[in-house]
Every structure is written in C-alpha cells, then in structure tokens.
Amino acid sequence: MHPSSLEIAVTAIFIALTTAIEFDTFDGPGFPACHNVSAVYQPTSVDEMVSLVKMAATSSIPVRASGKGHMWYDTMCSDDNNTIIIQTEGVHGISNFTLDGDTGSVMIEAGVTFFELADYLHARGASIGYALVNWNMTIAGAVAMGAHRSSLREASMVASGALEIHIIDATGTIQEIVRDENDDTWLAASTSLGLLGPIARIKFKIYPDFKLYAQQTIMDEDDVLNGDIYGLIAPYATANFWWWPYNRKFHHRYYDVVPTNQSSQEGFQSTFSITEFEAVTARTLLDSGKLLETSNMLAETIFFGIWSAPNFHEKTTDTAITTWPVYGWDYDVLIGGLYPGLLPEWDYNLRGYTLELAVPVTMANQLLKRVRELFDAQLAQGITMTATYRSGINIKFGRPYNDLLGQVWDEDTGDVDWTKGAIMFDFPSYRPTWGDNLRFNEPFYHNLSTTLINEFPCRPHWTKNTRTVLEQSVKNLDTEHLRRFKSVREKFDPNGIFKSIVGEIIGVV
Ligand SMILES: Cc1cc2nc3c(=O)[nH]c(=O)nc-3n(C[C@H](O)[C@H](O)[C@H](O)COP(=O)(O)OP(=O)(O)OC[C@H]3O[C@@H](n4cnc5c(N)ncnc54)[C@H](O)[C@@H]3O)c2cc1C
Ligand SMILES: *[C@@H]1O[C@H](CO)[C@@H](O)[C@H](O)[C@H]1NC(C)=O
Ligand SMILES: *[C@@H]1O[C@H](CO)[C@@H](O)[C@H](O)[C@H]1NC(C)=O
Ligand SMILES: *[C@@H]1O[C@H](CO)[C@@H](O)[C@H](O)[C@H]1NC(C)=O
Ligand SMILES: *[C@@H]1O[C@H](CO)[C@@H](O)[C@H](O)[C@H]1NC(C)=O
Ligand SMILES: *[C@@H]1O[C@H](CO)[C@@H](O)[C@H](O)[C@H]1NC(C)=O
Ligand SMILES: *[C@@H]1O[C@H](CO)[C@@H](O)[C@H](O)[C@H]1NC(C)=O
C-alpha cells in the first residue's frame, strides 16, 4: 500500500461528495452507465487501486471498476449516489511474457485493452487466439462480464483465455484465483460481473501468431431458417450470421487458419470506422426512418450492399480490399479496429439500442423462425420492420464453457440442452437523434424481447440489455448457480460494496 495515494484518495473523495457526476458509457453524455456517482478515480498502479478499495471499504462506500465504458445501459453501478468509480485505463502494464512451443502466458493489468495486448504480442510473434471481443475495451472488463466472440468449435469466451484472475476483495487483499473447474471460487471469478471486486491482473494464455482467411457468402433467408445452422457454424474457427430481415437475406461469415506463407496479404478488419459523408447520409436516412418506414427499407438495402463487400483494408497501405477471401494475421482479421484517420460511428452521433439473448443452439431454427413470425405479424398489419444497423442483426454462437454466470455454461436440464452450445440473437437498432429518441414502431422491440424471453430459456448478455430485459430473464437462470455464486461473493465482499444493478436484479447481492 502507498500511504500517499491513500491520502490523495481520501481528500479527493471528500471534495467530490458534494457534487453529482453522471458516469457515461462509450456513447458519452446522456448515456449513463451510472446515474450519479460521487467520484471517478484514475489510478496509475495496482497499488493505488488497492488503496482506493481499502479506503472505500473503511467508509462503506460502494465501488465499481470501469474500463472503456463499452456497454449500453445504466447497469454498471447500483443506484447508490455515493458510489465511486475506479477507472482502470492508466493501469495497463504487460509483463512476464513466456512462449514455449505452442503455448505460453502473459500477465496483464486491469486497463490493458485488446489492441494494446495484440500489438504487444504481435511484436513478439504471439497472439491471444480466439479469446477476442473488440479493440478498444479492457480484457478485464470483458472477462468480468462474460463477453465472447462467435464460435462453436473453439473456446470463445474471453474468460476461457484466463489462467489466473487476481481480484481485490473488500478487505483490499489481492486474491489470486487459479483456473480450477472444481473450485467454486474459480467458477465465480471466471464471470464475476465485478461483484467479487475489481480485477487487478489476469494471467492470460497465449499462442504463436497465426494467419487466417475470412470468407463471406450471401444466403437466402429460407436456407438459413430451414437449414442446418449448426453445420454452417461448427466447422470453422469462428463464424456468424448477419440477418437482413427486410431483404430476407443473411451474410454467412467464417474464418479459419491458413499456413502463414499462403498469402502475403495483411487484411485488417473494421466494423465501426466510417467517413463523415457516410455518417451524415446514414443519420439523415435513419432519422427520417423514425416516422417513415420506407427510409428504413432503403437504409437496410444500402447497408446490405455495403456489407457484402469485405470490411477490410490492406494494413500496410490502408487501401480497401475488394474481394473475398481476405487473409491476414489473426487479431487483424478477427477484430482489427479503426482505419487510420477515421472515427467510429458513435463519434458521429450514430447511436444504437441493443439486446442480446442466448438460447441453446439446438433451438436455433425455432428461434429464428419465431423472430420471422413476429416480423411477419407486423407486415400483416402493413408495418415493415427492418434492420437499422450497418451490419444488420448479429447472430452469434458460443461453445459451452463452465462457469456459474457465463451465457454459455454447459448444462442439460432434461428439458433444455445447452451442451451443444448457444446461439445469440444480438439485435442492435438505430436510436433516432431527435424527438423522444424512440424507434419506428417502438413497442415492437419490447414485444419481441418479452416474447423470446417467455418462450425460450434465454440467458441475457450482461452488458447489452436493459434493466427490464434482465429482470424478465431472471426466471431462466439456474437458481443453484446463483446460490453458489452468491456464497462465493459473500466471502469476498460481505457488505456488498461492489454491488451493481445487474447483481441486484439477479439476486446475488
Ligand atoms: C462496440 C462494441 C462491441 C462489442 N462487442 C462485443 C462482442 O462481440 N461480444 C461481447 O460479448 N460483448 C461485446 N461488447 C460488450 C463488451 O464486451 C462488454 O460490455 C465489456 O464489459 C466492455 O469492457 P470495458 O472495458 O469497456 O468495461 P466497462 O464498460 O467500463 O465496464 C463494463 C462492466 O464491467 C465491470 N468492470 C470493468 N472493468 C472491471 C474490472 N477491472 N474488474 C471488475 N469489473 C470490471 C464494470 O463495473 C461494468 O459493470 C461490445 C461492446 C461495444 C461497445
Ligand atoms: C446525486 O446524489 C446526491 C447525493 O445523494 C444528490 O444530492 C443529488 O441531487 C443527486 N443528483 C442527481 C442529478 O440525481
Ligand atoms: C479508445 O477509447 C477512448 C475513449 O475511452 C478514445 O479516447 C480513444 O481514442 C479510443 N482509441 C481507439 C484506438 O479507438
Ligand atoms: C440519489 O439522489 C437522487 C436525487 O437527490 C435521489 O432521488 C435518490 O433517492 C438518491 N438515491 C439514493 C439511493 O440515495
Ligand atoms: C512475474 O514473474 C515473477 C517470477 O515468477 C514473479 O515474481 C512476479 O511476481 C511476476 N509478475 C507479476 C506482475 O505477476
Ligand atoms: C508453404 O510452406 C510449406 C512448408 O514449408 C511448403 O510445403 C509450401 O509449399 C509453402 N506454400 C507456399 C504457397 O509457398
Ligand atoms: C405485441 O404483441 C401482441 C400480442 O402478441 C400483439 O397483439 C401486438 O400486435 C404486438 N404489437 C407490436 C407493436 O408488436
């Protein structure tokens, strides 16, 4: 412990308690992750994080860690106005790199982002394999919330890459929890929702760097809805669909390993980079779509066309790649980031609502057909619903992974079989910039989520759902898992200083 940082912490809190601070998501002002916190700290070392937790615990002040705020709704903290935030950006050391043959490990601190670690590893001929989500978020934040990419063949929970998770408990002690599937402490720490305390460090598994291809085809909707969905996804290292319900098409995207010498192309993916011209065009169209369904129909058709071409640039020259398949290094192909000089869409005031629900992949056809019925029921009333997001509706998949609160935990209850994996229905939609900011035919979205949660054993994503969706989903969670999680949580944090809305809704704090 550093007495100096403890003193600074105490003084700063004393000053900050008199004002109200909205702590925002990546969408910025007006998009609170926490409505009213008393202070936001930006420590620069793990020792300082420990001091802050000790100080908060002494005064029974609630405390939450935050990485990059890459979440959608007001569920990060509880509604306790005294809450303090430990913003981890400045604590981003990477150390103890070892790579011996096919595998190795590296120690990262709380604020290390995916792109920071990828750059560090690539320079050393290594990578983090498939445990990837997006570029500008912390690995600790992704592990805490059970984030995942899309694969049935490979482990794709970010937490699956963690070998040790070091958590600061409510006494300010760093507990080093080592992977052990027979230990409830590990199973709770693996998807902890931040409720055991801030993650200070993670020992992460690494691999030699490798190259991949990315391929994409267009499928008719009927061929997916009535097709062998498992068979279209499971053969690949990673694969997903994007659904265009107005156009009645899917994009089928898949990736797999190629020999390093197969191609000298260095493809770099970007999902979120856009030019100002594209942003203004999309915003104008989609804003009018709040009232005019024809605008949404046109927007989906344009987006579908754009999304059919590779969303990749050649990294060495920053020029567009125009033909599939695309080749490149694993991180660049699977995630990439922003193209040089371009901003992500949200920096142009293009913002979204979202929803993500997982059901067993054995119910994949049934799920997508039910969604189609809900779209068609609107159509029968003369209302055309569309995707209003530049990459359509994202349909992802998850290989089973054992922990207590992950979206893809491995379980067969007799009625419901999660052992083959999960399909995720991830439905982002445009948030109009004007008026009440509600969408065209807003009630449809709520009907849809309620219907799916009532008819399917949906497990919610922990940072992509509103409070209401989380509340509705509680009935589908395993009560025994919640009980076991709660009992570990009580050992780490008997007084509940790490509480959050998510933890309150699922009844574990
Ligand atoms: C553009 C975009 C794309 C995304 N893509 C995907 C995807 O493909 N798959 C997927 O599963 N998710 C995805 N997400 C969601 C994202 O993975 C999670 O919301 C993740 O938690 C964000 O990490 P962060 O560092 O920004 O954390 P924050 O948003 O700052 O925090 C999220 C939660 O984690 C807690 N937390 C953060 N850091 C720590 C820590 N060190 N210790 C304990 N708790 C902590 C916070 O208290 C909060 O409750 C995406 C989000 C965005 C914005
Ligand atoms: C924030 O919390 C403080 C302390 O409870 C309270 O005085 C203030 O009114 C709150 N501000 C907002 C905007 O809710
Ligand atoms: C990452 O996000 C931060 C905001 O938290 C932003 O300032 C920064 O420019 C982003 N970096 C990249 C490479 O996207
Ligand atoms: C936070 O402050 C607001 C505004 O004063 C108040 O309405 C709310 O009850 C406070 N919340 C708590 C949990 O104290
Ligand atoms: C790195 O490894 C050394 C030797 O095993 C160990 O003493 C040290 O604590 C490790 N560093 C971190 C940050 O874990
Ligand atoms: C790549 O390397 C392997 C093994 O060295 C070799 O057999 C193969 O012919 C090479 N392929 C190309 C396209 O150069
Ligand atoms: C909502 O669902 C109800 C019952 O299923 C249906 O009658 C109604 O038309 C739906 N409304 C919308 C806007 O989807």
Side-chain angles (χ1 to χ4, degrees), residues 36 79-81:
N36 188 353
D79 283 332
D80 189 324
N81 297 326

Side-chain angles (χ1 to χ4, degrees), residues 435-492:
D436 56 12
N437 305 118
L438 297 180
R439 293 159 285 196
F440 173 75
N441 196 17
E442 178 73 24
F444 170 79
Y445 293 92
H446 304 278
N447 253 20
L448 174 85
S449 53
T450 303
T451 303
L452 296 183
I453 295 164
N454 288 341
E455 295 181 8
F456 293 87
C458 298
R459 290 178 184 160
H461 189 288
W462 298 120
T463 65
K464 295 190 177 183
N465 291 300
T466 60
R467 295 181 181 201
T468 307
V469 167
L470 294 173
E471 281 158 9
Q472 292 174 331
S473 304
V474 171
K475 59 175 173 284
N476 294 323
L477 301 177
D478 181 318
T479 49
E480 186 55 16
H481 279 202
L482 295 175
R483 188 196 61 73
R484 284 163 62 191
F485 181 86
K486 187 175 181 183
S487 116
V488 174
R489 195 204 61 70
E490 281 164 352
K491 289 184 201 134
F492 277 71

Side-chain angles (χ1 to χ4, degrees), residues 2-15:
H2 289 189
S4 58
S5 54
L6 182 58
E7 281 163 31
I8 293 163
V10 173
T11 318
I13 281 198
F14 182 74
I15 294 163

Side-chain angles (χ1 to χ4, degrees), residues 102-161:
D102 283 347
T103 176
S105 68
V106 69
M107 186 67 85
I108 57 170
E109 292 180 344
V112 173
T113 60
F114 285 94
F115 75 83
E116 284 169 354
L117 181 57
D119 279 353
Y120 175 98
L121 293 178
H122 184 63
R124 291 162 178 78
S127 80
I128 55 174
Y130 303 106
L132 294 168
V133 191
N134 225 304
W135 83 105
N136 199 8
M137 58 182 69
T138 67
I139 295 166
V143 167
M145 304 313 285
H148 55 82
R149 62 179 290 116
S150 182
S151 180
L152 289 171
R153 194 184 85 189
E154 305 291 336
S156 61
M157 290 275 292
V158 179
S160 70

